Amino acid sequence: MDASPARAQACQWFHHAIHYREATMNKILSAVATMIVALGAHAQEPHPPWSYEGASGPAHWAELDMAYKQCKFGKHQSPINIDTSKAVKAALKPTAFAYKSSKAKVVNNGHSVQVNLAPGSAVTIDGVNYALVQFHFHAPSEEQIDGKPYPMVAHLVHKDAQGDLAVVAVLFKEGKEKAALKPLFANLPQKAGETGKLASFDPAGLLPSGSGFYQFTGSLTTPPCSEDVLWRVMKTPAEVSPAQLAAFRKLYKMNARPVQPLGDRVVQQSQ
C-alpha cells in the first residue's frame, strides 16, 4: 500500500491543527489585551469628588467610591473627641522634632491649603524616623478636647521608610499673630488648583511651647480614610491672630470631618 496519500493527509491535518491553535491563542491574547486596557483605563479614572456638606459630605463618603469604604466601616477612624478625664497617662517618649527650613509648595487642593515640603525635616517617635511630607489646615479643628473644637488645627503628616504614617496635630486658639504663618497666609492660593511657592519655610515655627501630647491610633480624616495612622495631638495650643484665621476662613469656612466613635481604643497622654 502506498503511504504517500496517508502522509499528505497527516500533514494537512497537522497544518490545520497548527492554524487552529494559533487562531485560538490570538483570540486569548486579544481578550487579555482588551482586559488589560480596560483595567488600565479604570485605574486611571479619577475618584469622584467629595466635600464637607450635602450629598458628597462625610456621611456619604463611603457611598461615593469603593475605595472610600473605610470611611463608614473602619473601626479606628479620626478625628475623635479626647476626653481628658479618661486619657491614660503613659511613659511615652517625647516627640523628637528635627525640623529645618526648606523650599515649599503651597497648594489649594479644593479641600484645604496644603504645604508640600522639600525633604529634610523629620520626627522620631518610639525610635522610628518619620519624614515630614506636608501639612495642611482644618477650621474648626477636627479634634475636640472635652467636646469642644479649637478655631483651627494644623495636621503635620509624616511617613516612615515602610510607608506608615504619623500625624502631629497642632491646635490653634485666637491670640497673637503666628509669625511662621505670616508669609503663608499673606499669599494663600485663592482658588482650587492654584499653587504658590515659599523660598524658605521652617515648620518648627508651627509648634506650640509645650511638648505634652495625646496619642492614639486612627485614620486619615479625608477619603479614603485609611487606618493604622499614629496620631499625636499636642496638648498646648499655639496662637493665631483673628486676621490670620479670617484669611483661611475666607477660603474654607468649614472643612472639618465630624468626630468619630472611639470604639475599643484607649487614648494615652504623656506624663
Side-chain angles (χ1 to χ4, degrees), residues 155-233:
H155 287 166
L156 293 97
V157 182
H158 308 75
K159 183 183 292 187
D160 71 5
Q162 284 69 48
D164 296 323
L165 299 178
V167 180
V168 174
V170 177
L171 301 164
F172 286 93
K173 64 180 181 180
E174 283 196 34
K176 299 177 182 178
E177 181 182 65
K178 191 66 171 174
L181 293 178
K182 189 173 182 178
L184 171 60
F185 278 27
N187 297 284
L188 291 172
Q190 296 297 299
K191 296 181 181 179
E194 288 187 357
T195 64
K197 293 181 179 180
L198 294 173
S200 179
F201 186 87
D202 186 356
L206 297 175
L207 300 176
S209 56
S211 60
F213 58 88
Y214 300 102
Q215 178 172 299
F216 56 92
T217 300
S219 72
L220 300 178
T221 66
T222 60
C225 306
S226 307
E227 295 190 336
D228 297 321
V229 177
L230 176 64
W231 281 84
R232 283 193 168 184
V233 179

